Amino acid sequence: RKEVEQDPGPFNVPEGATVAFNCTYSNSASQSFFWYRQDCRKEPKLLMSVYSSGNEDGRFTAQLNRASQYISLLIRDSKLSDSATYLCVVNLGEGAQKLVFGQGTRLTINP
Amino acid sequence: NAGVTQTPKFQVLKTGQSMTLQCAQDMNHNSMYWYRQDPGMGLRLIYYSASEGTTDKGEVPNGYNVSRLNKREFSLRLESAAPSQTSVYFCASSEGLAGPRYTQYFGPGTRLLVL
């Protein structure tokens, strides 16, 4: 089993739709979780950290389910500018000194 | 405030040639990282430096060496380039290695083609 798994997509949704991605991780001791966004031929950029209680930033909501070992990202009222690849990022466990990146989920918002 | 900078942006090498990729950050971060990104493979960690003076291997270190020159700079060297090292290389830095301090900030990348 991969340490971090994402559905690679692509997801094609119309503008204004709500879209959700899940990401599963293998290490139950993982402590830090992030969603990054990567535009074509650009570097990854932090979208949001994921906290145990779940967190929201505008149209974006991130949630963590420790029992099932997955994190999710919900995008409401999607915009054309949301088209990108979304990377799930997890640390390997307490004291781990590196993060593991998922393969990414590609999202295209259509007009 | 430039964040993380990388040079060069593009490079073409012949098999067997050597080169050094440069990375610098101006955020006073303790930890720095080198990744490669290949289609369908996602980002894979090559080497990292938890703090100035230390370096450790990541997932795919073979064929690479690194130097943490000082707190700001972390270089990646290919001693004898191979076509399998054709990739996009990203440098990143983070304040530390726990919790929110883990947040990594990336440079713009170096696109390397080895013929």
Side-chain angles (χ1 to χ4, degrees):
Chain A
R1 180 183 176 187
K2 287 185 181 178
E3 290 169 317
V4 177
E5 289 198 78
Q6 294 182 251
D7 181 345
F11 285 65
N12 290 284
V13 301
E15 192 175 8
T18 295
V19 60
F21 313 131
N22 279 346
C23 165
T24 59
Y25 59 94
S26 61
N27 191 329
S28 61
S30 295
Q31 298 292 324
S32 301
F33 309 89
F34 308 90
W35 282 103
Y36 275 72
R37 169 196 170 123
Q38 186 173 25
D39 294 299
C40 188
R41 301 181 69 80
K42 297 286 189 181
E43 72 273 24
K45 292 185 178 179
L46 178 69
L47 179 65
M48 56 198 305
S49 302
V50 185
Y51 303 117
S52 296
S53 56
N55 46 301
E56 188 173 309
D57 182 3
R59 297 180 294 107
F60 298 84
T61 301
Q63 293 199 314
L64 168 64
N65 184 319
R66 286 193 183 273
S68 300
Q69 292 181 212
Y70 75 84
I71 65 173
S72 63
L73 178 67
L74 180 77
I75 306 174
R76 291 183 300 278
D77 188 24
S78 54
K79 312 290 185 190
L80 296 177
S81 58
D82 294 334
S83 296
T85 296
Y86 290 84
L87 305 173
C88 169
V89 186
V90 180
N91 82 328
L92 295 183
E94 189 174 349
Q97 293 189 327
K98 46 188 182 285
L99 302 178
V100 178
F101 284 73
Q103 189 178 347
T105 296
R106 188 171 169 187
L107 173 66
T108 300
I109 307 299
N110 301 309
Chain B
N1 189 336
V4 181
T5 57
Q6 291 182 236
T7 56
K9 285 188 169 54
F10 304 95
Q11 185 72 47
V12 179
L13 292 178
K14 294 181 180 178
T15 297
Q17 287 185 316
S18 62
M19 77 163 296
T20 299
L21 282 65
Q22 306 287 354
C23 173
Q25 51 91 10
D26 62 3
M27 296 176 281
N28 200 36
H29 283 171
N30 293 306
S31 306
M32 298 185 73
Y33 314 80
W34 276 106
Y35 292 90
R36 60 178 289 173
Q37 188 173 35
D38 304 294
M41 298 292 290
L43 279 156
R44 292 184 292 169
L45 183 66
I46 303 171
Y47 271 94
Y48 66 100
S49 171
S51 60
E52 186 178 357
T54 69
T55 60
D56 286 285
K57 294 178 180 179
E59 181 185 355
V60 289
N62 291 345
Y64 305 95
N65 285 300
V66 291
S67 295
R68 183 75 183 266
L69 304 170
N70 47 55
K71 191 171 185 179
R72 290 187 64 248
E73 298 172 288
F74 189 38
S75 64
L76 178 72
R77 182 161 178 83
L78 286 70
E79 291 291 351
S80 179
S84 61
Q85 294 178 305
T86 293
S87 188
V88 181
Y89 291 86
F90 288 103
C91 177
S93 70
S94 68
E95 186 179 346
L97 296 168
R101 300 179 73 212
Y102 243 140
T103 303
Q104 294 188 359
Y105 297 87
F106 285 80
T110 294
R111 283 168 173 73
L112 175 66
L113 173 63
V114 183
L115 301 173

